Amino acid sequence: MQPYIYEILKIVLQTIDEGVHVIDENGRTMIYNKAMAELEGMDADEVVNKPLLDVFPSLDHESSTLLRVLRTEEKLIDRPQTYLNNHHKEITTINTTVPVYFQDKKVGALEISKNITKIKQLSEQIMTLQLKLSKPDKQEGNKIRKFTFESMIGNSTEFVKAVLYAKKAALSSSSVLIYGETGTGKELVAQSIHYGSHRAGKPFIPQNCAALPESLLEGILFGTSKGGFTGAIDRPGLFEQANGGTIFLDEMNSMGLQLQSKLLRVLQEGYVRRVGGIKDIPIDVRIIASTNQDPYEAIDKGNLRKDLFYRLNVIPIILPPLRERKDDIELLVRWFIKKYNRKLLKNVQNIDPLVLEAFQEYRWPGNVRELENTIEGAMNIIEKEEILEKEHFPPQTNAKIFAHYQKQDSLPSQDLTKTLEKIEKDFILRALKDCNNNISKASEKLGIKRQTLQHKLKRFDIQP
């Protein structure tokens, strides 16, 4: 090994974000990098060359993942651990721990850790709040926001079809899978189904599957038993809290495959087992799941188990993006104006037609949620005026929406013939791309004969 390699490794260890902790065969710390020191609130001098249990008195040979791997020589992957450092500060980490060998001889153990202390605290707060919400008293019940089918605004064909499917889904307890981009209103649909069903008097509990690491999400969903892992306590999971009601698993495609397999077992067998527990707890919970990725694409990419998809996709609901609901934009704008008139004590009666035209030209990547936030922002700015105009929207909105509209609104400098030719060429190129350069399919998509398309390809010098 080149002499400078050791210095490079030292620099790498001190600059990576993950904590690295290595002990020798006697349990003394050999390597303790900067990230691990910051994670645990320690100084390297307090740890290096000292026995592990002297530095972390709350651990023992069983609860310490490093010492356990040193003894058993079995790898531990993404294992949660909660412990106290010698300053009595509680730390929660996700650890991957492996034995270290040199010339086929065990010489120590290595651990790579991610700090999830704050995430664990937030997850515990979430579980506590969810437990309170699942059993609200009469005074608190009126404060909980509930969406119903009256909250679903739109007249476009695909949206009306989605609402119709949702209303039919409310008549049964079968699983539902909602597919739609971020901001299309997936939770609104899920709540409408729940509060339109016979389960309306029972809890509705949502959980975003992308918000937490898989190891924490498992405990939140299924609960934990004392002794299941270091720091675990007896706590019911969301499935137990939602018993008799509905659980909404948002962004299902972000859940790890291992946890998906455990969820599949719950769906098939109708009971849960807490993390670290041995008791099977029967549950009666309806599952509504959602994905912001096309489910078939998610399966192909390995983000969604095929067997779980078939189990969830009993009633499929597809929510169209706002860019495909142009006719609904004005309807939604006026709905949001009324909503924020009440909330912000305003008296807005209308919106400038030019602003509305710009809204209909914009593609709304954030969908209905982005549109609502845009209206809410302007309603905070407007004072006594009764018409929302361009100047009531912040500069970011002007640059994003109205600048784009002005470009569309201004006529090009070239003549009409050249402009039409450019549009025609763009349509042909797009059709060819969508049809993988198949001329027959592209001609069908464009609504022209194959010979006509071939003539145009030659005219525009397009070679598929």
Side-chain angles (χ1 to χ4, degrees), residues 129-348:
L129 289 170
Q130 292 283 20
L131 188 58
K132 292 178 69 176
L133 290 174
S134 66
K135 298 177 180 179
D137 59 37
K138 293 181 179 179
Q139 291 181 343
E140 292 176 333
N142 294 329
K143 297 179 183 179
I144 301 172
R145 182 175 61 173
K146 297 179 180 179
F147 292 114
T148 63
F149 288 114
E150 285 71 30
S151 306
M152 300 179 68
I153 309 301
N155 292 323
S156 64
T157 303
E158 292 302 314
F159 184 77
V160 170
K161 184 189 295 184
V163 174
L164 178 62
Y165 270 60
K167 287 181 177 179
K168 291 184 177 181
L171 302 177
S172 77
S173 287
S174 298
S175 299
V176 177
L177 183 63
I178 305 169
Y179 163 55
E181 296 177 6
T182 299
T184 50
K186 296 185 289 293
E187 183 170 348
L188 187 154
V189 175
Q191 282 202 35
S192 298
I193 292 172
H194 171 76
Y195 290 114
S197 73
H198 70 276
R199 296 176 180 265
K202 297 294 184 177
F204 173 87
I205 297 182
Q207 175 60 50
N208 188 304
C209 299
L212 294 167
E214 182 175 351
S215 53
L216 283 183
L217 182 59
E218 181 180 1
I220 287 176
L221 292 177
F222 305 134
T224 56
S225 287
K226 190 174 182 180
F229 56 88
T230 307
I233 61 174
D234 285 318
R235 188 193 296 272
L238 299 186
F239 274 92
E240 290 179 64
Q241 295 175 31
N243 197 33
T246 304
I247 189 166
F248 173 52
L249 300 177
D250 194 14
E251 297 191 36
M252 182 74 213
N253 52 303
S254 298
M255 181 185 289
L257 295 179
Q258 185 176 358
L259 187 53
Q260 288 185 30
S261 67
K262 295 180 180 180
L263 176 63
L264 179 63
R265 189 197 69 214
V266 171
L267 282 166
Q268 291 172 335
E269 300 177 2
Y271 67 80
V272 295
R273 183 179 297 172
R274 294 182 183 179
V275 177
I278 58 173
K279 180 182 177 182
D280 293 334
I281 304 169
I283 55 162
D284 171 26
V285 176
R286 182 188 200 169
I287 294 182
I288 301 177
S290 79
T291 169
N292 56 8
Q293 179 184 22
D294 182 280
Y296 293 100
E297 181 183 330
I299 291 171
D300 290 341
K301 291 185 176 181
N303 297 330
L304 182 63
R305 287 178 60 107
K306 187 182 293 185
D307 47 6
L308 178 61
F309 165 71
Y310 291 130
R311 193 79 185 189
L312 291 172
N313 198 47
V314 179
I315 305 177
I317 297 175
I318 301 174
L319 292 177
L322 188 56
R323 62 182 173 273
E324 295 177 8
R325 299 173 54 193
K326 297 287 188 182
D327 294 340
D328 289 342
I329 289 177
E330 182 175 356
L331 191 64
L332 287 163
V333 165
R334 299 192 184 283
W335 171 271
F336 293 138
I337 287 175
K338 288 181 180 179
K339 174 180 177 179
Y340 290 103
N341 270 337
R342 295 191 301 269
K343 191 172 182 178
L344 302 175
L345 302 178
K346 303 288 184 174
N347 188 36
V348 177

